[in-house]
Amino acid sequence: MSTSVLTSLQHALGDRVITDPVALAEAARDSSRYAPEGMPLALVEAESTEDVSAALAWAHANEVKVSVRGAGTGLSGGAVAYPGGLVVSLAGMNAILDIDVENRLADVQAGVVTADLDAAAHDHGLFFAPDPASARTSTIGGNIATNAGGLRCIAHGVTRDSVAALEVVLADGTVIRTGARTRKNTVGLDLTSLFTGSEGTLGVITSATVRLKPLPEGEPRTFRANFDDIEAAGRAITAIVNSAVQLEVLELLDARSVELIEAFAPSGLRVPGAALLVGQTVGVDAEAAAESIVEICRQHGGQDWAISESDDLLEARRLANPALTAQGLRVSCDVGVPVAQLAAVFRGIADLSKKHDRGISIVAHAGDGNLHPTVEAEDTPEGYAAAEVVIEDIARLALDLGGTISGEHGIGAVKLHELPLQFSDDELRVQRAIKAALDPAGILTPGRAY
């Protein structure tokens, strides 16, 4: 498309329309392995909902494909630019508009960084529960668009469980608001849940009203236990989750992951024989709860256990993705299984590693059965292609165990080819009919998510 078509958009938005090649190249990618097929025509650095509305109205009128981005931390390729398309960035819309302490709500623009909202809530004795590993860089809008998970899901659910209301710009530039500030709301269809997790395909989320929770009393406790058998660790997780103990975090790292994290950022963390189980308890009885969990670990073969007040172990867990990527484990996935199937999925992944003769490392939000296996791949097209075959086999394994091909990262472009493994033609047709109703011109993140 000729750059002359940009004239009306530039008249409307001025210097918020960026055409610098370096800036376009930076905005064309997200944190996934999915590479753009060409450069976008322009980038809109939105500063308001009105900017987003003008950009989408222009794109709709000119049939220009649109990708939407916040911090670009997505791992599914959902924010990757389209050749000749328009990138709409919400990173500049980063204001915390209000913290309503009495109703435990916060009104935020989409570009607010997750950890920044959590810190602001802390000043009022509250916290924002969604806690993806990328919380220090990922944005609220991106979290909502992908229905992000994270470390605290076992206690507080996924992002959808913390969203009360949304402001959304539709494909033609129309602005709507969904949800309510009340705890209960049964009026009309649940559009808030529909847009949450829709990966930028139905509308662009520009602001949100999110729920906050009171900070727990007492000091948290972080616990760990090492296992010489990863299947035993899986059985321990199932027993912990089915006990009466209240958990805030329960994570697993296999021995290879711990080794690579230590090489990436040494902290003195001991490499286990097979797997490290790490988690956190909160509240006035945090110490007793941690002791109960450690006892369950011991009953299932856990060794070298410890309980502390330090968050160092959880910080190490957050380094897993960059640490593994730095050491050649470049092709990851995001499957979920019922918690009772963890031992079986660990066994199945080990079998696939042998079958394909490729190293597979596992980190997991173990308490809710969400795994992130990562496959070693040579940095060549052939290496990546071979690793992708392993990833698809892992997806099939998860489905065979009653699971899902994505627990939190979404489908984007990376997993699009796997959709028929989980959905029937009729199920896909229903989803695409909703897309067609809200975006008849097909300009918003087309060809991704479903």
Side-chain angles (χ1 to χ4, degrees), residues 382-401:
E382 296 76 16
Y384 280 97
E388 292 287 0
V389 172
V390 184
I391 290 293
E392 185 164 323
D393 277 355
I394 293 172
R396 293 178 186 277
L397 170 65
L399 290 171
D400 288 344
L401 294 171

Side-chain angles (χ1 to χ4, degrees), residues 6-253:
L6 279 175
T7 302
S8 60
L9 184 63
Q10 290 168 326
H11 283 164
L13 298 179
D15 60 7
R16 296 187 292 287
V17 180
I18 310 298
T19 58
D20 173 67
V22 174
L24 294 184
E26 291 176 353
R29 302 190 66 106
D30 61 10
S31 296
S32 74
R33 59 186 180 272
Y34 190 80
E37 298 175 358
M39 287 299 101
L41 180 65
L43 161 69
V44 170
E45 294 183 337
E47 296 178 357
S48 68
T49 299
E50 291 74 21
D51 289 350
V52 177
S53 177
L56 293 194
W58 174 87
H60 180 79
N62 291 282
E63 298 184 348
V64 175
K65 296 178 181 179
V66 177
S67 57
V68 189
R69 65 183 291 111
T73 60
L75 296 171
S76 65
V80 172
Y82 295 91
L86 182 69
V87 178
V88 176
S89 171
L90 305 175
M93 296 177 60
N94 56 7
I96 299 175
L97 303 171
D98 181 52
I99 293 183
D100 180 352
V101 176
E102 291 185 337
N103 289 307
R104 296 178 184 168
L105 296 171
D107 296 302
V108 296
Q109 290 184 309
V112 170
V113 172
T114 310
D116 290 349
L117 172 58
D118 192 36
H122 279 215
D123 292 339
H124 300 276
L126 303 169
F127 75 102
F128 182 56
D131 185 35
S134 59
R136 292 189 179 92
T137 51
S138 65
T139 61
I140 299 296
N143 291 350
I144 296 172
T146 58
N147 193 25
L151 276 66
R152 294 197 290 233
C153 282
I154 186 174
H156 305 286
V158 293
T159 297
R160 176 179 282 114
D161 299 302
S162 293
V163 179
L166 297 172
E167 179 183 69
V168 181
V169 182
L170 301 181
D172 64 357
T174 301
V175 180
I176 67 169
R177 290 169 179 80
T178 74
R181 301 179 72 83
T182 54
R183 294 298 303 182
K184 298 162 70 176
N185 174 27
T186 59
V187 180
L189 297 178
D190 186 0
L191 296 180
T192 304
S193 291
L194 177 64
F195 285 105
T196 302
S198 63
E199 300 187 42
T201 62
L202 302 181
V204 178
I205 296 163
T206 51
S207 67
T209 300
V210 296
R211 304 190 191 283
L212 305 176
K213 293 190 174 186
L215 285 169
E217 297 180 11
E219 294 297 323
R221 293 292 184 271
T222 302
F223 60 86
R224 74 156 195 263
N226 289 354
F227 289 82
D228 290 336
D229 180 347
I230 196 170
E231 290 183 49
R235 290 187 288 271
I237 294 163
T238 301
I240 291 166
V241 171
N242 285 298
S243 73
V245 180
Q246 298 298 307
L247 281 163
E248 187 77 355
V249 175
L250 184 60
E251 301 285 305
L252 177 138
L253 301 94

Side-chain angles (χ1 to χ4, degrees), residues 339-422:
V339 173
Q341 299 289 357
L342 282 170
V345 77
F346 293 151
R347 180 169 59 252
I349 290 172
D351 291 343
L352 289 173
S353 179
K354 293 177 182 176
K355 173 184 174 181
H356 293 281
D357 193 26
R358 285 195 174 263
I360 305 175
S361 187
I362 302 171
V363 297
H365 304 306
D368 55 34
N370 185 197
L371 292 83
H372 301 306
T374 305
V375 181
E376 289 181 343
E378 302 82 10
D379 195 11
T380 63
E382 296 76 16
Y384 280 97
E388 292 287 0
V389 172
V390 184
I391 290 293
E392 185 164 323
D393 277 355
I394 293 172
R396 293 178 186 277
L397 170 65
L399 290 171
D400 288 344
L401 294 171
T404 177
I405 62 174
S406 178
E408 61 181 7
H409 293 165
I411 298 301
V414 169
K415 283 181 168 287
L416 194 66
H417 67 286
E418 294 180 7
L419 281 178
L421 300 178
Q422 182 160 337

